[in-house]
Amino acid sequence: PREVIDCFIRLIDELLQEYRLKNAFYRDKMSVLLKGILIDAARIDDKTTLPVTKPVQQLLNYIHTHFEKNITYDTISEVFSYHPYYLNRRFKQEVGMTIGQYLQEYRLTVASQLIITTNLSFEEIAYQTGFKNPSHFSAAFKRQFHRSPGDYRRYFSKQ
């Protein structure tokens, strides 16, 4: 649809503008924008986004639609009828990181978008993105983006 294409064009223009201007933290903002574009593209046609085997693609789809829930290796084993360690090994071979690493990175990417686009509290964002503990969320966010959620929101609210 035309509105989807227009949205992608707007996001790519914003990405290019960040690159040209090179304002403070431009790499972080570019990373968030690019991840958002890729996530949206994956949602449009998740059959062709990654050259991975069917079980790994199904697991990626599961993570993208259930990331806010408590996803454990036991859950994965029940849902996919594979031994979780087998799936984790396949996942790492094909995606380049473990299921747990990917899940956390995906949750943090969604959280970064919520921080920028909503006025939700960081505690609400933590719970909505699947973190059980807001302080764990803040620590993981700071490791990933090199700044606290509050600093991140303050920076992007100035834009």
Side-chain angles (χ1 to χ4, degrees):
R2 184 67 200 165
E3 63 263 5
V4 173
I5 293 169
D6 290 340
C7 182
F8 280 130
I9 290 170
R10 183 183 55 75
L11 289 171
I12 290 169
D13 284 343
E14 190 175 347
L15 186 74
L16 291 171
Q17 182 178 355
E18 280 298 317
Y19 180 74
R20 274 190 237 106
L21 295 176
K22 291 185 173 64
N23 290 325
F25 310 115
Y26 77 96
R27 286 188 177 117
D28 294 320
K29 184 161 185 184
M30 288 177 62
S31 175
V32 169
L33 289 168
L34 186 56
K35 286 178 183 177
I37 291 168
L38 293 173
I39 289 168
D40 290 345
R43 287 181 175 165
I44 290 170
D45 189 4
D46 61 5
K47 294 178 191 76
T48 61
T49 56
L50 295 172
V52 296
T53 59
K54 188 174 180 179
V56 172
Q57 183 62 54
Q58 289 173 331
L59 182 52
L60 285 166
N61 293 340
Y62 183 81
I63 289 170
H64 293 171
T65 56
H66 297 90
F67 67 92
E68 74 284 353
K69 297 179 180 162
N70 184 23
I71 299 175
T72 66
Y73 285 115
D74 289 337
T75 306
I76 291 168
S77 183
E78 286 177 31
V79 171
F80 294 99
S81 300
Y82 286 104
H83 194 281
Y85 299 114
Y86 166 77
L87 261 182
N88 197 46
R89 189 171 61 250
R90 291 285 301 271
F91 193 91
K92 186 167 183 171
Q93 288 171 342
E94 296 179 36
V95 178
M97 61 183 80
T98 67
I99 294 167
Q101 290 167 332
Y102 183 87
L103 176 60
Q104 180 158 312
E105 187 172 301
Y106 185 80
R107 285 174 170 165
L108 289 169
T109 299
V110 172
S112 70
Q113 292 174 342
L114 290 173
I115 287 170
I116 293 170
T117 61
T118 71
N119 290 322
L120 294 171
S121 73
F122 302 128
E123 184 175 0
E124 290 174 296
I125 291 172
Y127 291 128
Q128 283 189 15
T129 54
F131 287 89
K132 296 178 195 170
N133 181 323
S135 62
H136 177 251
F137 162 71
S138 291
F141 192 92
K142 192 167 186 172
R143 275 192 307 275
Q144 177 78 19
F145 295 101
H146 308 291
R147 65 187 45 81
S148 70
D151 289 343
Y152 198 83
R153 178 174 276 165
R154 278 188 291 281
Y155 172 74
F156 286 107
S157 67
K158 292 178 189 175
Q159 299 295 312

